[in-house]
Amino acid sequence: MTDRPMQLAVLGATGSVGRAVLEDLEARSVPVALRLFATASSEVDLLEFRGEELEVEKLGDKAFRGCDAAIFATPAPLAREWAPRAWAEGCLAVDLTGAFRSAPEVPLVVAGWNDVAVAEGKARGVVAGPSGPVVPLALALGPIHREAGVERVVVTVLYAASGAGRAGVRQLEKEMVALLNGEEPDLSEISHRMGFNLVPQVGAFGAGGHTDDEVAVGSELRRLLLAPTLAATATAIRVPVFYGHGLAVNVRTSRPLAAEEARALLRASPGVKVVDAPGERVYPMPMLAVNDDAVLVGRIREDASQRNGLDLFLVADNLRCGAASNAVRIAQEWVRIQRG
Ligand SMILES: NC(=O)c1ccc[n+]([C@@H]2O[C@H](COP(=O)([O-])OP(=O)(O)OC[C@H]3O[C@@H](n4cnc5c(N)ncnc54)[C@H](OP(=O)(O)O)[C@@H]3O)[C@@H](O)[C@H]2O)c1
């Protein structure tokens, strides 16, 4: 293994996830040489990284030359077009956009759970990260599945505004200011008010009445846990929180697992922090998860309404744990494999 820093391109560097990639690299002191990309019309020309101003470039020929990996934190069409071009220049695409999530030959990876699948990225030159809520869900349910066999999952996902990127954050900020000043907010960017409201739609509705984001929770979880018969259903609700998705999870396992056993198991699991002392009012909350790469798990209790039932509440920073930190770790693992 050489000591040469990882050569990393970040596409969508000026966006919510792109900036979280830079924060993750800084927070973990990852040795890295960066190239940053955004649109030609981006409002941002320079981004600060470790006290230096780095230029934000626009994509063009040879953009990926010399790069080990490129994190795509852009709209999906851009990843569809540019990921193959990156691979043609010898650079792995780590795709967060959803463009490749359902392609069977593209590995779907949650670092800390199935890192071993990163090597399969060489099939198409792409490794995909799952959708934001599925990263913390897999980190928490993976160890439970390994120990007791997860048969069924029912999850309510409380989506933070930043799950909709800069536009979501901007919209909630404007709404809060307007509402607290007794004015009607302008809803030009998002169709329903988020401020002081709950919106039971994230994604587009399909024929059966679920949204595509809700369907993705089950399909991505089945792939990640290698559990094709796992039954799963999800309800996605946008909540007036800026950062940090919450997940109320009900699980049925094939073998019994007491709450105390689940707590001990999760305490020993990578990427998981057990925050669970309800008597002392200690449990996961979005404000505790911001800038954390781990999923916070608490309110772990047995569900007496069914055989082998457990209830849990999870919270994770959607930009870090749900996207950026996972992508950086995938890129690091790829480099480790390539350099032996
Ligand atoms: N937000 C989350 O919680 C989350 C979680 C998991 C996955 N993701 C996925 O990650 C991606 C980025 O999400 P985000 O929340 O960071 O969105 P965002 O805040 O809206 O940022 C989008 C970024 O993409 C860039 N971009 C847009 N069109 C482009 C183009 N044609 N060429 C090059 N760059 C372009 C933007 O650059 P400009 O500055 O030039 O506009 C900006 O840097 C999306 O695919 C999203 O689905 C998001």
Side-chain angles (χ1 to χ4, degrees), residues 11-19 37-44 56 59 72-76 78 82 95-98 101 129-133 160-167 245 317-320 322-324:
L11 285 73
T14 55
S16 305
V17 173
R19 286 170 187 264
F37 296 94
T39 61
S41 56
S42 182
E43 290 165 7
V44 182
V56 179
L59 281 169
F72 283 76
T74 61
L78 188 107
W82 286 85
D95 178 46
L96 295 176
T97 73
R101 257 176 220 150
S131 47
S162 58
R166 289 173 306 189
H245 292 341
D317 184 326
N318 50 299
L319 303 177
R320 288 283 282 273

Side-chain angles (χ1 to χ4, degrees), residues 106-246:
V106 170
L108 188 67
V109 175
V110 171
W113 167 246
N114 66 338
D115 310 57
V116 66
V118 170
E120 295 162 28
K122 61 182 179 309
R124 278 184 67 180
V126 184
V127 174
S131 47
V134 177
V135 177
L137 198 57
L139 286 170
L141 295 192
I144 293 176
H145 181 61
R146 195 183 276 142
E147 183 69 22
V150 174
E151 286 181 349
R152 179 164 192 262
V153 179
V154 181
V155 53
T156 301
V157 185
L158 308 171
Y159 278 78
S162 58
R166 289 173 306 189
V169 172
R170 213 165 33 224
Q171 180 68 31
L172 183 56
E173 275 169 357
K174 283 198 295 193
E175 286 179 13
M176 294 307 238
V177 171
L179 289 163
L180 290 171
N181 284 293
E183 295 161 11
E184 228 5 79
D186 163 22
L187 299 178
S188 53
E189 297 197 43
I190 286 176
S191 60
H192 285 291
R193 200 181 88 195
M194 282 184 280
F196 305 116
N197 194 20
L198 300 172
V199 183
Q201 179 183 2
V202 180
F205 287 111
H210 283 89
T211 68
D212 45 11
D213 283 59
E214 290 167 341
V215 172
V217 170
S219 54
E220 292 176 16
L221 199 58
R222 278 188 281 276
R223 274 193 76 188
L224 283 161
L225 300 194
L226 303 175
T229 59
L230 173 78
T233 184
T235 302
I237 302 175
R238 184 80 64 192
V239 300
V241 165
F242 283 101
Y243 301 100
H245 292 341

